[in-house]
Amino acid sequence: QVQLVESGGGSVQAGGSLRLSCAASGNIFTIHAMGWYRQAPGKQRELVATILADGYTNYADSVKGRFTISRDSAKITLYLQMNSLKPEDTAVYYCNRVPVYPNYWGQGTQVTVSS
């Protein structure tokens, strides 16, 4: 069973940057589309960035132009570079397949952006 472990979250001021990492215990990135999801307090979990097996990327309108999803197949790690962060980006961030595979949910990593 593949496990996904997210890291890299933290507290930053608005306008700052963070780079999230998602380490996988098995190489699923070249087989499946992968994504970064986030869940803010009181809100549903939402998909913010997707990378297909062929490398094509797609973003939610709310993060387009500020976030970049990438992967390192050799390290079996998924990344999310987040720039120009806004308070509304505050959430717990998770990685998973697209569409989700429930067994892949990890503990997530908290991102807090202060104004």
Side-chain angles (χ1 to χ4, degrees):
Q1 179 68 34
V2 173
Q3 291 186 320
L4 302 175
V5 179
E6 302 92 347
S7 63
S11 297
V12 297
Q13 290 190 328
S17 298
L18 284 172
R19 188 194 196 201
L20 307 184
S21 298
C22 168
S25 59
N27 197 347
I28 59 174
F29 296 163
T30 56
I31 301 173
H32 302 291
M34 297 295 298
W36 281 97
Y37 300 77
R38 68 185 181 187
Q39 187 167 22
K43 295 188 177 181
Q44 288 189 332
R45 198 170 297 183
E46 62 172 340
L47 175 65
V48 297
T50 304
I51 184 165
L52 302 186
D54 64 5
Y56 175 83
T57 59
N58 192 44
Y59 300 91
D61 288 343
S62 58
V63 307
K64 198 171 294 184
R66 300 187 297 121
F67 290 11
T68 303
I69 187 172
S70 63
R71 66 176 181 230
D72 184 328
S73 296
K75 295 181 180 179
I76 321 178
T77 302
L78 189 71
Y79 301 101
L80 185 67
Q81 178 67 44
M82 305 187 297
N83 299 328
S84 302
L85 282 162
K86 303 176 181 180
E88 51 263 43
D89 295 319
T90 295
V92 180
Y93 285 72
Y94 304 85
C95 59
N96 204 315
R97 279 174 49 180
V98 178
V100 300
Y101 183 62
N103 289 358
Y104 283 174
W105 288 122
Q107 81 289 350
T109 187
Q110 176 71 47
V111 171
T112 303
V113 185
S114 58
S115 57

